[in-house]
């Protein structure tokens, strides 16, 4: 056997090598086997055949491809081709192949896989199956029993002609028994006398399945065909109660001469019940009920013998209303589920399909329809149970009993239909998905509140709506979870109220301000507002017009800002290369989803409310006592307002007892608050959100924003950059910036040119490089042009200076270019004050004596006033100017910049998220901008101060020019100008000085 097996392998290898050579000749066209190219091709092909790395065929993939082609052919209405395809593939898979053991082997699927890969477009191919004649199997007529039992003696018993017993014949005998009509479930109205007569009669009915009219016989004996025209009357009791219709018709005929009896279709009450159950099950074809353009109506001529026409019609019309609601909801479900071939949660509305026929429904509608489908599945099971009981029970079941049993379900259907009409059907077709999803969730949310206000009568409706809301809100929570956990806002259908602006990349400086758009939707679902999420992250709903209140998804309002902050922080973190982020990602991988945490928290909350019966009685008594005491308090408060309403007092007492902060609001001391009897109601629904959903979002918000702040402060040196801005722009690094601006002031005093970028940048780099070498490459000075008219005043010459500081990403999100503009405005003001102070500080009195004064009198005889008196006036003016400038300088550098800076540093350390830090930074800049009188509103005050500073520079120039250049008129004018400015500022800023809001100038 071993030699035979090795021989077979050798033969197979030789045959395989021969076929490989033939393949190479066919493809390459090279016939000579000794050719080098032929040998290379043979080596390549032989190596791949023998030592290939191709995977074995996957039978599941091949089977899915076969099923996919079958479905595609069915969609193209190629029914015959589809049936042939499935039949031929099944026959092939179940047919043994040569040299292959069994069926449906890898060889079978390999052949089918090859054919599928070679196929082009099966649906576009004209195919006609050719009949194949199968070889008939030879029938073995040889009598093996006689051959094998030859020579044996067999005892055939006393009755050799009796046929052998067979179980099949026994079953056939059982099938010949009469069939009871009660199996059909149709019950006839009969009196006890008729039942006794029927029991005495024997109807010889036998089943003959082979007769051609067997179906007709079965239909005639199971139920009277009441749905056909001129249907025969069924037998019924002659009792008066069973003939109320005839009695009423006779009465109408006798009293009304114009009464004309109409042709009627008689049915039994059981048949009415059956069609009622079918109608509520979603069946569209009925006899008693009719469908016309989506509306369900009742046939006019349908009657029962024991009810009047009006009575029956009123009951059936009541049923038809619920049947139409079921029909609309079922049609909505069918339209949505038609988009998906898999049994997964679908969702859309009828108006949605007319709007976007080629697009799949968005996920909120899918979840809503999935919740509806779950409810109707259980409802149909209940209907099936009722129908089965009607069939199996011998007792008579009335329509009123069935309706009483279905009354809770009908009430729930009414609630579902109302929610569907308000939340889906009434939405205009061209409404965006974000408006549709928000409106549907708000409708469910408001419906819970509305039905909860009724009280205990609507507990089932509230429970149903809560379960519906829980299913419908799942896509929203999944979107939120994906965003705040993974930093990715995945919303392909644009149904979420926050949309990503893909034009702004994450590493852009405007990422935090212009990346996301918040949609606010009007309650009338007629308009849509897009509000850019600037750094605040607030809803912006109060920015709408007064006659149209803008809202959004109600349940997200309390945590909307946290969601936005956590989502943006997480997305920013995902793009930062830091060790904190890697640790954070590892923790995220083991985290449960937000929806799962919410459901678990809800389940835990509901379980914690279950108490023992003894505890329930005790707590109920305590609650009753608390309610009585609370009622007394409320009644006293109402009497103060002249309101005497005990029921109102009771309701107010119940309301306050349900509040979590009851003990804080009312210091009753011994009041006991009952928490065990809370169901899923409006108050507890909101409490459920606060305790089961919001804490998870808050926790995630704290984690994301905390990690982002920690990363920015530690890895990207955010605090160091903020301190650098204050050091250079607000001159907190006094020694460093002193070297820079004094070099400029010296150039000005020496009448030399200083407005040269090279000179300014060299001075700045030298000053900064000595103490802060890491910032030397980031700081730079730019020169800008100013209005020539402003150059008339010397103090305005510094306005050409602009200080620049290069801030890297992502720190530039906080220190933006707009912030640097404000920093430059404050820097320019400080530089002007420093210039005025430096000019006064550098004035000297050395070398002045009376001899020089006499020389001046001889040289300038026109000087009438003694020179000593002029010097005295100049010195007094200098002291006044120095007092003004020093007061201004000290106030700004200490009371404004230093104290405000300390407060800013403390707030930066307390900031929880980046948005809060940005607000703190903006508020800090706005504060120093306002307190430095740089606002346009107080520009007249700044102009007065600039006049004084300009007067200081003029005074310094004339002082340095020498006493001979002084004129009495100029001294008088400088004193007058200073006095006028001083009085103006004292008058304007008097109240501000008293409050400590401005610097003292008197």
């Amino acid at each position: 056997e071993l030699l035979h097996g090795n021989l077979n392998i050798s033969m197979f290898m030789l045959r395989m090598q021969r076929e490989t050579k033939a393949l190479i000749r066919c493809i390459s066209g090279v016939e000579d086997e000794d050719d080098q190219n032929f040998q290379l091709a043979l080596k390549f092909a032989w190596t791949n055949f023998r030592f290939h790395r191709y995977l074995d065929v996957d039978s599941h993939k091949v089977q899915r491809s076969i099923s996919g082609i079958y479905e595609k052919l069915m969609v193209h209405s190629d029914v015959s081709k589809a049936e042939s395809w499935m039949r031929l593939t099944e026959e092939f898979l179940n047919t043994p192949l040569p040299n292959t053991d069994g069926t449906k082997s890898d060889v079978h699927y390999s052949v089918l896989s090859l054919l599928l890969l070679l196929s082009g477009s099966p649906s576009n191919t004209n195919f006609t199956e050719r009949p194949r004649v199968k070889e008939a199997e030879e029938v073995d007529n040889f009598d093996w029993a006689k051959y094998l039992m030859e020579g044996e003696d067999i005892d055939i018993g006393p009755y050799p002609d009796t046929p052998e017993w067979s179980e099949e014949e026994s079953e056939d005998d059982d099938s010949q028994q009469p069939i009871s009509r009660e199996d059909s479930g149709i019950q006839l109205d009969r009196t006890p006398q008729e039942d006794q007569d029927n029991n005495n009669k024997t109807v010889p009915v036998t089943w003959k399945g082979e007769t051609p009219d067997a179906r007709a016989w079965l239909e005639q004996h199971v139920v009277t065909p009441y749905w056909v025209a001129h249907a025969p009357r069924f037998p019924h009791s002659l009792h008066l109660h069973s003939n109320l219709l005839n009695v009423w018709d006779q009465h109408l005929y006798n009293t009304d001469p114009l009464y004309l009896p109409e042709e009627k279709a008689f049915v039994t009450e059981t048949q009415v019940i059956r069609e009622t159950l079918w109608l509520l099950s979603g069946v569209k074809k009925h006899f008693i009920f009719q469908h016309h353009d989506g509306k369900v109506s009742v046939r006019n001529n349908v009657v029962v013998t024991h009810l009047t026409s009006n009575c029956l019609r009123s009951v059936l019309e009541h049923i038809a209303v619920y049947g139409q609601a079921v029909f609309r909801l079922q049609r909505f479900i069918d339209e949505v589920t038609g988009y998906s071939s898999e049994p997964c949660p679908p969702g859309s509305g009828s108006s949605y399909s007319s709007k976007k026929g080629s697009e799949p429904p968005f996920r909120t509608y899918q979840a809503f329809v999935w919740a509806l489908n779950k409810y109707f599945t259980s409802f149909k099971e209940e209907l099936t149970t009722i129908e089965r009981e009607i069939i199996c029970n011998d007792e008579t079941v009335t329509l009123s009993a069935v309706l009483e049993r279905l009354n809770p379900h009908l009430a729930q259907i009414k609630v579902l239909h109302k929610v569907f009409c308000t939340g889906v059907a009434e939405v205009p077709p061209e409404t965006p998905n974000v408006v549709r999803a928000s409106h549907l969730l708000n409708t469910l949310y408001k419906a819970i509140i509305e039905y909860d206000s009724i009280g205990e009568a609507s507990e089932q409706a509230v429970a149903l709506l809560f379960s519906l809301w829980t299913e419908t809100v799942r896509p929203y929570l999944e979107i939120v979870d994906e965003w705040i956990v993974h930093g990715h806002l995945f919303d392909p259908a644009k149904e979420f109220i926050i949309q990503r602006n893909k034009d702004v990349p994450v590493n852009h400086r405007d990422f935090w301000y212009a990346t996301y758009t918040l949609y606010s939707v009007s309650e009338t679902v007629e308009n849509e507002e897009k509000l850019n999420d600037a750094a605040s992250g607030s809803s912006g709903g109060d920015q709408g017009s007064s006659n149209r209140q803008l809202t959004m998804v109600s349940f997200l309002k309390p945590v909307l800002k946290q969601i936005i902050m956590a989502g943006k922080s997480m997305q920013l973190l995902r793009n930062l290369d830091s060790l904190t982020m890697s640790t954070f990602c590892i923790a995220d991988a083991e985290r449960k989803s937000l929806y799962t945490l919410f459901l678990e928290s809800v389940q835990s909350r509901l379980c914690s409310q279950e108490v023992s019966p003894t505890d329930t009685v005790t707590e109920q008594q305590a609650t009753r006592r608390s309610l009585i005491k609370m009622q007394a308090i409320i009644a006293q408060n109402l009497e103060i307002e002249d309101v005497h309403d005990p029921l109102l007092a009771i309701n107010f007492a119940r309301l306050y007892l349900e509040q979590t902060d009851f003990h804080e609001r009312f210091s009753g001391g011994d009041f006991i608050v009952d928490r065990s009897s809370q169901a899923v109601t409006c108050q507890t629904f909101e409490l459920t959100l606060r305790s089961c959903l919001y804490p998870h979002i808050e926790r995630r918000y704290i984690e994301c924003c905390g990690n982002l702040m920690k990363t920015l402060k530690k890895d990207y040196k955010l605090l160091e950059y903020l301190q650098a801005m204050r050091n250079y722009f607000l001159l907190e690094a006094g020694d460093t910036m002193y070297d820079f601006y004094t070099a400029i002031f010296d150039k000005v005093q020496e009448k030399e040119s200083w407005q040269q970028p090279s000179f300014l940048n060299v001075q700045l780099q030298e000053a900064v490089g000595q103490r802060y070498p890491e910032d030397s490459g980031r700081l730079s000075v730019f020169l800008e042009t100013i209005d020539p008219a402003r150059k008339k005043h010397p103090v305005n010459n510094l306005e050409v200076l602009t200080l620049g500081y290069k801030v890297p990403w992502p720190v530039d999100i906080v220190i933006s270019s707009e912030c640097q503009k404000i920093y430059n405005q404050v820097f320019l003001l400080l530089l002007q004050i420093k210039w005025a102070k430096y000019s006064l500080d550098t004035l000297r009195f050395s070398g002045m004596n009376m001899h020089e004064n006499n020389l001046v009198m001889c040289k300038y005889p026109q000087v009438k006033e003694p020179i000593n008196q002029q010097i005295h006036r100049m010195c007094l003016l200098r002291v006044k100017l120095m007092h003004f400038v020093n007061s201004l300088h000290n106030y700004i550098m200490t009371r404004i910049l230093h104290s405000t800076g300390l407060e800013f540093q403390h707030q930066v350390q307390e900031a929880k998220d980046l948005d809060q830090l940005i607000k703190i930074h903006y508020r800090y800049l706005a504060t120093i901008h306002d307190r430095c009188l740089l606002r346009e509103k107080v520009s007249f005050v700044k102009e007065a101060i600039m006049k004084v500073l300009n007067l200081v520079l003029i005074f310094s120039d004339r002082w340095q020019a020498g006493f001979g250049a002084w004129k009495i008129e100029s001294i008088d004018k400088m004193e007058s100008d200073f006095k006028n400015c001083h009085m103006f500022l004292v008058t304007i800023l008097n109240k501000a000085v008293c409050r400590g809001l401005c610097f003292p100038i008197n």
Side-chain angles (χ1 to χ4, degrees):
E1 290 179 359
L2 182 61
L3 292 175
H4 181 68
N6 292 334
L7 181 60
N8 289 338
I9 294 174
S10 301
M11 293 297 293
F12 174 77
M13 298 299 288
L14 290 173
R15 187 166 62 253
M16 186 176 177
Q17 186 176 12
R18 185 167 58 252
E19 295 296 334
T20 305
K21 292 180 179 180
L23 176 64
I24 294 173
R25 294 191 193 96
C26 180
I27 295 177
S28 63
V30 180
E31 297 294 337
D32 187 9
E33 295 184 5
D34 296 330
D35 192 307
Q36 183 179 3
N37 293 328
F38 187 94
Q39 291 298 324
L40 289 175
L42 177 61
K43 182 178 180 182
F44 174 81
W46 185 249
T47 303
N48 280 278
F49 285 155
R50 293 191 61 188
F51 309 104
H52 68 84
R53 291 178 293 175
Y54 304 113
L55 298 175
D56 293 336
V57 65
D58 189 352
S59 60
H60 298 286
K61 290 184 179 179
V62 175
Q63 197 65 44
R64 282 197 296 268
S65 300
I66 293 173
S67 301
I69 293 176
Y70 173 78
E71 291 179 2
K72 187 174 183 181
L73 293 174
M74 292 299 293
V75 169
H76 287 270
S77 301
D78 291 336
V79 181
S80 59
K81 190 189 297 185
E83 293 176 353
S84 300
W85 167 253
M86 291 301 293
R87 187 178 67 258
L88 293 175
T89 52
E90 285 297 326
E91 289 180 2
F92 174 74
L93 289 173
N94 293 320
T95 302
L97 296 179
N99 301 325
T100 303
D101 296 334
T103 60
K104 294 186 179 180
S105 62
D106 289 344
V107 179
H108 288 81
Y109 286 106
S110 298
V111 174
L112 286 178
S113 178
L114 177 62
L115 294 176
L116 289 172
L117 293 174
L118 294 176
S119 64
S121 179
S123 60
N124 295 330
T125 305
N126 296 325
F127 172 77
T128 303
E129 186 177 356
R130 292 172 297 185
R132 294 180 297 169
V133 180
K134 295 183 179 180
E135 297 181 359
E137 297 182 0
E138 297 182 359
V139 181
D140 189 4
N141 296 326
F142 185 75
D143 191 356
W144 289 96
K146 183 177 179 181
Y147 172 75
L148 295 173
M149 299 179 65
E150 184 178 358
E152 297 289 338
D153 293 333
I154 301 174
D155 185 9
I156 60 176
Y159 304 101
D161 298 333
T162 302
E164 295 182 0
W165 178 81
S166 174
E167 292 183 359
E168 296 180 357
E169 294 181 0
S170 177
E171 294 176 357
D172 293 340
D173 294 339
D174 295 340
S175 65
Q176 300 296 328
Q177 297 296 329
I179 299 178
S180 172
R181 287 185 60 196
E182 296 301 327
D183 292 340
S184 65
I186 304 298
Q187 299 181 11
L188 302 181
D189 298 326
R190 295 178 295 201
T191 61
Q193 182 65 30
E194 289 176 323
D195 292 339
Q196 185 177 357
D197 295 339
N198 291 336
N199 292 334
N200 296 332
K201 297 178 182 179
T202 302
V203 182
V205 179
T206 58
W207 170 257
K208 298 179 180 180
E210 288 78 19
T211 57
D213 56 345
R215 180 178 179 83
W217 180 92
L218 182 62
E219 292 176 350
Q220 292 174 4
H221 287 75
V222 170
V223 64
T224 303
Y226 60 89
W227 52 86
V228 299
H230 306 289
R233 291 286 298 273
F234 54 86
H236 65 281
S237 173
L238 300 177
H239 195 278
L240 179 63
H241 294 168
S242 299
N243 290 274
L244 182 59
L245 178 65
N246 294 335
V247 175
W248 181 251
D249 283 349
Q250 185 65 35
H251 170 71
L252 294 178
Y253 181 78
N254 295 333
T255 57
D256 188 0
L258 300 179
Y259 175 72
L260 180 63
E262 298 177 354
E263 184 179 357
K264 300 179 178 62
F266 287 87
V267 295
T268 65
E269 188 169 357
T270 303
Q271 293 166 355
V272 175
I273 294 173
R274 293 285 291 275
E275 291 216 5
T276 298
L277 297 178
W278 295 341
L279 175 68
L280 297 178
S281 298
V283 179
K284 298 180 181 179
K285 293 184 180 181
H286 308 275
F287 173 73
I288 299 176
F289 301 99
Q290 295 176 317
H291 290 265
H292 297 288
D293 299 331
K295 295 183 179 180
V296 180
S297 59
V298 181
R299 190 180 292 270
N300 294 326
N301 60 343
V302 173
V303 294
V304 293
T305 59
H306 57 284
L307 291 175
T308 62
S309 300
N310 293 336
C311 178
L312 178 64
R313 184 170 185 82
S314 64
V315 175
L316 294 181
E317 287 179 349
H318 176 70
I319 297 172
V321 172
Y322 293 102
Q324 182 172 338
V326 172
F327 172 73
R328 291 191 66 185
L329 292 172
Q330 190 62 51
R331 184 177 61 180
F332 173 62
I333 294 174
D334 293 340
E335 288 178 353
V336 173
T337 54
Y339 285 107
S340 178
S341 59
E342 299 180 359
C344 59
S348 175
S350 56
S351 59
Y352 187 90
S353 60
S354 61
K355 174 198 168 195
K356 302 180 178 181
S358 60
E359 297 182 8
F362 54 94
R363 290 188 291 172
T364 302
Y365 269 17
Q366 292 179 12
F368 178 63
V369 170
W370 181 245
L372 288 178
N373 189 56
K374 286 176 60 177
Y375 171 78
F376 276 106
T377 300
S378 61
F379 177 57
K380 290 176 182 179
E381 290 177 356
E382 177 67 17
L383 295 177
T384 304
T385 303
I386 296 174
E387 186 174 6
R388 186 179 294 110
E389 292 176 358
I390 294 174
I391 295 174
C392 298
N393 293 343
D394 294 334
E395 298 179 0
T396 301
V397 180
T398 61
L399 181 60
S400 61
V402 174
L403 292 180
E404 184 178 359
R405 181 172 176 179
L406 292 176
N407 190 49
H409 296 282
L410 298 180
Q412 292 177 347
I413 290 176
K414 182 178 180 181
V415 172
L416 294 178
H417 185 253
K418 181 178 179 181
V419 170
F420 166 75
C421 291
T422 306
V424 178
E426 295 178 1
V427 179
E430 298 302 324
T431 306
N433 290 342
V434 60
V435 182
R436 291 171 169 269
S438 301
H439 182 63
L440 176 58
L441 292 173
N442 284 340
T443 301
L444 288 170
Y445 186 87
K446 293 176 183 178
I448 295 176
I449 297 177
E450 176 185 352
Y451 281 96
D452 177 74
S453 61
I454 301 175
E456 297 179 357
S458 62
E459 286 184 358
Q460 293 184 352
V462 174
L464 173 65
L465 289 172
F466 180 75
S467 62
L468 198 68
W469 181 88
T470 304
E471 290 286 348
T472 308
V473 81
R474 179 171 187 168
Y476 250 60
L477 294 184
E478 288 178 348
I479 293 174
V480 172
D481 182 71
E482 179 71 17
W483 192 22
I484 65 178
V485 172
H486 303 289
H488 177 47
L489 185 60
F490 180 73
D491 184 22
K494 295 184 178 180
E495 58 186 302
F496 194 53
I497 56 174
I498 301 171
Q499 296 295 322
R500 174 75 162 90
N501 181 13
K502 297 183 179 179
D503 296 334
V504 182
V506 181
N507 56 357
H508 195 273
R509 68 181 184 88
D510 293 333
F511 162 77
W512 197 260
Y513 313 98
T515 309
Y516 294 96
T517 302
L518 178 65
Y519 286 79
S520 292
V521 185
S522 73
E523 292 185 354
T524 55
V525 201
E526 294 177 355
N527 297 295
E528 174 188 1
E529 290 268 337
K530 283 173 53 174
L531 300 174
N532 288 331
D533 173 29
S536 63
S538 59
S539 64
D542 52 355
Q543 299 181 16
S545 59
S546 58
N547 59 349
R548 179 169 57 87
Q549 184 181 4
L550 296 178
T551 60
M552 58 196 59
V553 182
S554 302
F555 79 97
L556 286 183
K557 277 186 179 180
V559 289
L560 185 62
K561 179 183 177 181
Q562 287 83 343
I563 292 173
I564 296 175
M565 292 301 103
K568 293 197 293 188
S569 299
M570 196 64 219
Q571 187 170 4
L572 188 59
L573 272 172
R574 291 287 178 182
N575 288 269
L576 298 180
D577 184 16
S578 64
L579 181 61
T580 307
M581 190 61 240
S582 8
T583 308
F584 201 45
C585 294
I586 295 174
D588 290 340
E590 303 174 355
R591 190 184 304 272
K592 294 181 180 179
S593 67
L594 179 63
Y595 183 73
T596 303
L597 293 173
F598 170 62
L599 292 184
E600 291 178 354
S601 301
V602 171
Q603 186 66 27
S604 175
R605 175 181 171 83
L606 294 178
C607 293
S608 64
Q609 295 172 359
E610 298 178 359
V611 294
S612 62
T614 305
D615 295 339
T616 302
V617 174
T618 305
E619 292 182 0
Q620 286 179 353
Q621 294 175 355
T623 304
R624 182 177 180 84
R625 291 194 301 269
S626 302
L627 185 61
I628 293 173
K629 294 181 180 180
M630 194 67 223
Q631 179 186 352
I633 296 176
I634 299 298
Q636 293 175 2
N637 293 332
L638 291 176
E639 288 177 0
I640 296 176
E641 302 293 334
D642 198 16
V643 176
H644 304 278
D645 192 341
L647 294 179
L648 185 61
I650 292 174
N651 286 319
F652 268 118
R654 286 178 176 173
L655 175 64
Y656 285 123
L657 284 175
E658 292 176 353
Q659 300 299 320
T660 56
D661 54 351
F662 164 71
H663 289 287
E664 297 177 3
R665 296 189 181 187
F666 301 95
S667 56
D670 57 346
F671 291 163
I672 301 176
V673 182
D674 177 30
R675 295 296 178 194
S676 62
S677 59
Q678 289 180 347
V680 184
T681 59
C682 165
Q683 290 82 9
T684 55
F685 176 54
E686 295 179 351
L687 291 175
T688 300
L689 293 178
R690 293 194 190 104
S691 61
C692 301
L693 178 61
Y694 299 160
H696 300 298
I697 298 177
E698 289 277 357
R699 193 176 303 113
R700 188 64 192 176
Y701 156 75
I702 294 174
E703 291 179 3
C704 293
C705 297
N707 278 278
L708 178 61
M709 294 297 296
K710 188 183 301 181
T711 303
L712 292 178
K713 292 177 181 179
K714 181 180 179 181
D715 299 342
Y716 292 89
K717 301 180 180 179
L718 173 62
L719 299 181
E720 287 79 355
Y721 284 114
L722 289 174
Q723 183 62 45
M725 297 298 293
R726 294 165 53 210
N727 287 341
Y728 307 131
F729 287 85
L730 305 185
L731 306 182
E732 288 192 7
D735 49 353
T736 300
M737 297 306 292
Y738 179 82
D739 296 340
F740 168 67
Y741 60 72
T742 53
I744 299 176
F745 300 158
D746 292 340
K747 286 278 187 181
V748 174
Q749 289 183 354
E750 294 172 5
K751 308 300 180 180
E752 296 181 6
S753 176
W754 62 272
Q755 297 182 4
Q756 300 174 0
S758 58
F759 164 73
L760 295 173
N761 281 289
V762 168
Q763 292 297 326
L764 182 63
Q765 298 302 327
E766 289 180 355
V768 174
Q770 294 178 0
R771 297 175 179 85
Y772 304 99
E774 67 276 4
D775 290 332
S776 60
R778 296 186 178 277
L779 272 174
S780 57
V781 181
F782 304 96
L783 294 178
E784 298 181 355
T785 57
I786 61 173
D787 187 4
R790 297 186 60 82
K791 293 183 179 180
K792 297 179 181 179
H793 303 289
V795 73
N796 295 333
N797 291 333
L798 292 178
E799 293 181 359
V800 299
L801 283 177
T802 300
L803 198 61
Y805 188 79
K806 295 180 181 179
V807 182
W809 181 86
V811 182
D812 60 353
I813 297 177
V814 180
I815 309 175
S816 60
S817 57
E818 291 77 9
C819 296
Q820 292 205 24
K821 290 180 181 179
I822 300 177
Y823 275 114
N824 265 298
Q825 293 179 13
V826 179
F827 171 72
L828 177 60
L829 175 65
L830 296 178
L831 212 59
Q832 291 171 334
I833 296 174
K834 292 284 186 181
W835 188 12
K837 186 175 184 303
Y838 184 80
S839 300
L840 292 175
D841 291 343
T842 54
L843 296 180
R844 297 289 180 267
F845 294 94
S846 59
M848 293 185 181
N849 48 44
M850 291 301 299
H851 177 70
E852 292 180 353
N853 296 341
N854 294 330
L855 292 177
V856 171
M857 292 289 295
C858 296
K859 190 175 181 180
Y860 302 98
Q862 70 273 16
V863 178
K864 299 179 181 180
E865 187 176 3
I867 192 66
N868 292 332
Q869 189 174 358
Q870 294 183 18
I871 294 175
H872 180 68
R873 291 177 62 185
M874 290 290 288
C875 291
L876 289 178
L877 182 59
R878 177 179 180 269
V879 171
K880 292 179 181 180
L881 292 175
M882 287 188 68
H883 174 70
F884 179 91
V885 173
N886 288 335
S887 299
L888 175 64
H889 177 268
N890 293 335
Y891 174 77
I892 291 180
M893 297 302 295
T894 57
R895 292 285 301 277
I896 294 180
L897 297 182
H898 181 67
S899 59
T900 309
L902 293 177
E903 183 181 356
F904 170 67
Q905 290 178 354
H906 176 71
Q907 292 176 350
V908 167
Q909 295 294 338
E910 297 294 328
K912 296 181 180 180
D913 56 61
L914 184 58
D915 189 73
Q916 188 176 356
L917 178 61
I918 293 173
K919 286 183 178 180
I920 291 172
H921 188 229
Y922 269 113
R923 195 183 305 119
Y924 167 68
L925 292 179
T927 301
I928 61 176
H929 184 269
D930 292 346
R931 292 182 180 179
C932 290
L933 305 175
L934 296 175
R935 253 192 325 173
E936 188 68 25
K937 189 176 181 179
V938 292
S939 58
F940 59 93
V941 180
K942 181 192 173 185
E943 290 179 2
I945 294 176
M946 289 296 106
K947 286 183 179 180
V948 177
L949 297 181
N950 191 64
L951 181 62
V952 169
L953 298 179
I954 296 175
F955 175 83
S956 175
D957 288 343
R958 293 182 179 178
W959 181 286
Q960 294 179 356
F963 296 138
W966 296 351
K967 293 183 180 180
I968 298 297
E969 294 79 5
S970 62
I971 298 176
D972 292 339
K973 188 176 185 307
M974 286 189 293
E975 291 178 342
S976 175
D977 290 345
F978 176 73
K979 182 178 180 181
N980 292 336
C981 291
H982 182 269
M983 293 301 298
F984 172 77
L985 292 173
V986 169
T987 304
I988 295 298
L989 302 178
N990 187 34
K991 293 183 179 180
V993 170
C994 294
R995 291 189 229 162
L997 300 178
C998 202
F999 60 91
I1001 58 175
N1002 50 349

